[in-house]
Amino acid sequence: MPEPSISYVNESAILLSFGAPGQAGEAAQPDQSLQIRICQLAQALRGAPGSAQMLLEVVPGPGNLLLVMQREVIAEQVLQQAEALWLDLEQTRETPALIEIPVCYGGKGGPDLPQLSRHTGLDVNDIIDRHCAPEYLVQCLGFMAGFAYLGGLDPSLAIARKKTPAARIPAGSVAIGGLYTGIYPSATPGGWHIIGQTRSRLFDPLASPPCLLRPGDRLRFVAVETLS
């Protein structure tokens, strides 16, 4: 595993960078084993003794980890704890559980599937097969509550975001943007290409936890003809 570079975002935030993937969906994705370990480090830091007194937030991103410290906390203490936990993870690797998401592809729920077919030159059924084949990794959450950036998309399905975003995308829409795929947890404007629809609820503010997916989770899409 590579050693991270350390930079100070401001006087109370440290960024550990294990690569330079750039913005989500616009550049190469980090190795999945590395990203899983980054997400596991985030969980370990949150659960470490005294964490609440040292850290306000621990936020994993593609190839990086942001540590937001409490006021007057010494950065070296946080870095020493992060290093110790990082080394412990070398001995205690765990495989995240696999979550299956049923998807009805195409039709009214996937209006951009024909456009993706024209862009890639692939048959619609081939696109569905390729989209369902990988085990995706939740690299990070962002954009809106419960929205997971899923790494592992077949490169042949990559397509740039729309130049003109749609005014309203329904909740449960399964989409592709750049090298990422994801699911819109709530109705919102958006610029990704919508290829299907799921009834799985990605975000429920009354649930505990409110988000179905967490950074480090594995996911697989399952094609269904109808959604019950």
Side-chain angles (χ1 to χ4, degrees):
M1 291 291 180
E3 292 294 325
S5 63
I6 301 170
S7 57
Y8 289 82
V9 179
N10 56 37
E11 66 275 7
S12 60
I14 304 170
L15 184 67
L16 307 180
S17 299
F18 297 82
Q23 297 179 358
E26 295 181 357
Q29 299 176 20
D31 176 77
Q32 286 209 5
S33 60
L34 169 62
Q35 190 64 29
I36 289 173
R37 192 169 167 191
I38 291 172
C39 295
Q40 290 175 338
L41 175 60
Q43 287 184 283
L45 280 166
R46 293 190 195 102
S51 175
Q53 287 72 46
M54 296 178 64
L55 294 168
L56 280 172
E57 288 189 88
V58 182
V59 185
N64 59 66
L65 185 64
L66 178 67
L67 307 177
V68 183
M69 300 177 291
Q70 297 277 9
R71 298 179 68 178
E72 300 181 358
V73 169
I74 300 173
E76 284 72 15
Q77 292 178 319
V78 174
L79 291 173
Q80 288 174 3
Q81 185 180 50
E83 181 180 17
L85 291 172
W86 179 258
L87 295 175
D88 285 344
L89 290 172
E90 184 71 33
Q91 308 300 324
T92 59
R93 295 182 185 178
E94 297 180 1
T95 301
L98 180 64
I99 298 169
E100 292 190 342
I101 300 291
V103 180
C104 183
Y105 288 92
K108 293 182 178 180
D112 297 322
L113 189 56
Q115 169 61 24
L116 182 61
S117 179
R118 291 190 293 270
H119 172 78
T120 61
L122 297 170
D123 178 81
V124 165
N125 289 328
D126 194 11
I127 290 174
I128 295 171
D129 288 343
R130 294 187 187 205
H131 192 254
C132 291
E135 287 187 4
Y136 296 96
L137 177 69
V138 179
Q139 293 194 353
C140 60
L141 300 181
F143 168 54
M144 64 186 307
F147 187 96
Y149 288 87
L150 303 176
L153 180 71
D154 187 320
S156 67
L157 302 183
I159 183 170
R161 299 172 185 178
K162 297 177 180 179
K163 293 182 179 179
T164 303
R168 185 182 185 279
I169 294 175
S173 294
V174 178
I176 293 175
L179 292 173
Y180 282 82
T181 188
I183 308 166
Y184 284 85
S186 306
T188 179
W192 288 24
H193 297 263
I194 310 305
I195 63 172
Q197 181 79 16
T198 181
R199 291 270 176 87
S200 296
R201 192 166 186 182
L202 277 294
F203 178 71
D204 181 356
L206 301 179
S208 181
C211 297
L212 175 64
L213 303 175
R214 301 182 305 170
D217 283 347
R218 297 183 302 140
L219 180 150
R220 174 174 286 154
F221 293 108
V222 179
V224 295
E225 292 186 2
T226 59
L227 292 170
S228 58

